[in-house]
Amino acid sequence: MGLAKSLWRRYDLARDEPVWAAMKIFFSSRQARRVIALEKYGEDLRPHCSHGDQQPAEAAEVWPDSPSFRADVLQEDWYADVHGLDCPTDALEHYQRYGACRALAPNPDLADPSGVVLAHWAVEFLVRAGVPIGALGAEELAPDDRKALNPYEIENPNGKKIAVVTAIFGRFDRLMPIDPAWQENADFFAFSDSSIEMPTEWKLVHGVYYNEDPRRRARFAKLHLPTFFSGYDWVVWIDGNILLCEDPKTILEHLNPDSFDFITFKHPDRSSIVAEAAACITFNKEDGLVLASHLKQHQDHPAFRDENLYETMVLFLRPSSSHVQDMCAKWWRSIMRGSKRDQLSLPLAIADTQGLRVGHLPDSIARSPFFAKIKHTNE
């Protein structure tokens, strides 16, 4: 069956082509045929996965053929049997298009007790190995779409102490799965401008601030956490390219939360605002003129030359703290007037907030057992 489908797709691509071109197409690699299909028809001609009548919400990006992944991780016979595929040779294609975005297990050893989806430690294992797990936004989210919450109306009816929050704007990142057991202690919220096939653990939240730059939209959510989540004792922010690897309650207990109001990572590579701005130029993270203007605005600040740089992909903050509220307001004002790179503004906002108790997360995010950093989808 799998061979017949492959032969038919080759014939469909080669039809109406000169003999020499048809022969080249017919004997080309699968990856090359996908490129040809996109150029010739403006679409990917691969068939949708046979999983009853259910179709994927979005196609994951085209992966290269991966014999190593297939041999080392994907157990084709088992996967095909679990998901009712016609042939084990369809397993890789089904997993790439359907299984990875929904955190389905590629073999029984990585499955949770249901035998279908990944255990969360297995999610971490595959994410750290570079497998693109998680869902991308499918279509624009209308402002009145009831699938998403108004952030100004978020409540905490069950009295949970922790809110975990992320933002997925544009198509830079996938929404990562979390362990359902963590819902006992925390609620999970994802700001977005897209309709995402949400894992049941996440609640979709409208992005109420508009800017052409999706990163600035995410910054608005990030720096207004005390406003939106005032009903919680703690808010844990994770950037869209961060996987949470442990129960947030366990992490918070590990950090001795009575000793701080705000905590994030110390920057592992740089210590000054100027060095960070230069790195933004090197890695094409921000416009050079914007960075120059931002630095000029703050050059006379007493903390401008301090060794005070943070890596802000993860934040823990106490939203009821007036010091945290004041610091976030100053942080946002600085971003509004200058660069969207929030690391360039946070040190000065902290320095200007007397009484704020600041802590550092242990190690760096690259070494942390609690968080895994993932490449953006456009990297």
Side-chain angles (χ1 to χ4, degrees):
M1 179 67 72
L3 178 60
K5 288 181 180 178
S6 177
L7 292 173
W8 174 255
R9 290 198 292 269
R10 292 169 194 244
Y11 169 76
D12 194 38
L13 278 178
R15 187 170 46 194
D16 301 326
E17 296 288 343
V19 174
W20 65 269
M23 294 294 290
K24 182 177 180 180
I25 292 170
F26 201 84
F27 292 104
S28 63
S29 68
R30 179 185 296 182
Q31 186 73 15
R33 293 197 304 275
R34 289 173 183 170
V35 173
I36 293 167
L38 190 63
E39 292 177 346
K40 187 173 182 179
Y41 296 107
E43 60 180 344
D44 190 340
L45 295 185
R46 290 176 294 167
H48 292 303
C49 54
S50 54
H51 188 72
D53 295 327
Q54 193 173 15
Q55 300 294 342
E58 80 287 322
E61 71 278 11
V62 177
W63 294 6
D65 292 337
S66 178
S68 175
F69 175 84
R70 187 165 55 246
D72 295 347
V73 179
L74 183 63
Q75 192 170 321
E76 293 180 317
D77 290 342
W78 175 85
Y79 187 91
D81 181 62
V82 167
H83 299 289
L85 304 185
D86 295 332
C87 180
T89 56
D90 293 337
L92 179 61
E93 188 168 335
H94 181 283
Y95 185 77
Q96 290 172 340
R97 288 180 60 83
Y98 182 89
C101 65
R102 290 164 178 80
L104 301 182
N107 67 60
D109 291 333
L110 296 180
D112 76 352
S114 73
V116 177
V117 299
L118 289 163
H120 197 72
W121 63 264
V123 173
E124 178 186 355
F125 169 62
L126 293 181
V127 163
R128 290 185 184 275
V131 178
I133 305 294
L136 286 165
E139 58 186 20
E140 187 175 349
L141 183 67
D144 59 348
D145 194 322
R146 294 188 177 182
K147 289 196 295 288
L149 303 171
N150 181 337
Y152 291 104
E153 298 176 357
I154 288 175
E155 297 179 348
N156 183 10
N158 298 317
K160 297 181 183 178
K161 293 185 178 300
I162 303 170
V164 178
V165 188
T166 191
I168 307 290
F169 288 98
R171 292 178 65 86
F172 293 113
D173 301 302
R174 306 170 190 83
L175 184 64
M176 295 288 108
I178 60 104
D179 190 328
W182 300 345
Q183 288 182 286
E184 181 179 349
N185 303 307
D187 288 328
F188 295 81
F189 301 90
F191 285 80
S192 186
D193 56 357
S194 298
S195 178
I196 304 174
E197 185 177 348
M198 306 287 288
T200 56
E201 296 80 19
W202 289 97
K203 299 175 184 178
L204 188 61
V205 183
H206 283 289
V208 293
Y209 167 79
Y210 180 77
N211 191 285
E212 290 184 358
D213 188 339
R215 289 186 174 88
R216 286 188 179 269
R217 281 176 260 164
R219 298 292 188 270
F220 179 85
K222 183 175 184 176
L223 275 58
H224 288 79
L225 296 174
T227 300
F228 298 140
F229 300 97
S230 58
Y232 293 85
D233 291 353
W234 287 97
V235 181
V236 182
W237 169 271
I238 53 175
D239 278 6
N241 64 327
I242 300 298
L243 173 71
L244 184 63
C245 302
E246 180 58 87
D247 188 331
K249 179 176 181 289
T250 302
I251 302 173
L252 197 57
E253 290 171 346
H254 177 78
L255 297 174
N256 187 21
D258 291 338
S259 63
F260 64 87
D261 302 311
F262 176 87
I263 188 169
T264 188
F265 283 105
K266 193 79 172 172
H267 202 290
D269 301 318
R270 292 174 289 280
S271 60
S272 75
I273 294 171
V274 174
E276 177 64 13
C280 290
I281 291 283
T282 302
F283 298 110
N284 196 29
K285 297 292 187 179
E286 177 64 286
D287 181 87
L289 294 177
V290 172
L291 288 167
S293 174
H294 185 94
L295 294 176
K296 183 178 180 180
Q297 289 179 46
H298 299 290
Q299 63 183 339
D300 296 326
H301 193 286
F304 186 70
R305 285 289 181 187
D306 290 352
E307 295 186 1
N308 55 4
L309 199 64
Y310 302 91
E311 190 169 41
T312 59
M313 297 175 180
V314 176
L315 310 174
F316 286 72
L317 59 86
R318 196 190 304 269
S320 63
S321 166
S322 60
H323 300 305
V324 169
Q325 296 165 13
D326 186 31
M327 184 273 292
C328 285
K330 292 171 179 173
W331 195 3
W332 175 245
R333 285 197 295 271
S334 180
I335 288 177
M336 286 288 289
R337 293 195 298 262
S339 170
K340 63 176 175 282
R341 305 301 299 176
D342 55 5
Q343 292 160 310
L344 299 178
S345 297
L346 176 59
L348 307 184
I350 288 176
D352 287 338
T353 308
Q354 297 299 314
L356 178 66
R357 297 182 301 165
V358 180
H360 296 132
L361 288 165
D363 295 319
S364 66
I365 200 161
R367 292 169 52 88
S368 174
F370 301 134
F371 309 97
K373 182 181 177 183
I374 307 149
K375 285 186 176 181
H376 295 294
T377 58
N378 61 343
E379 290 182 337

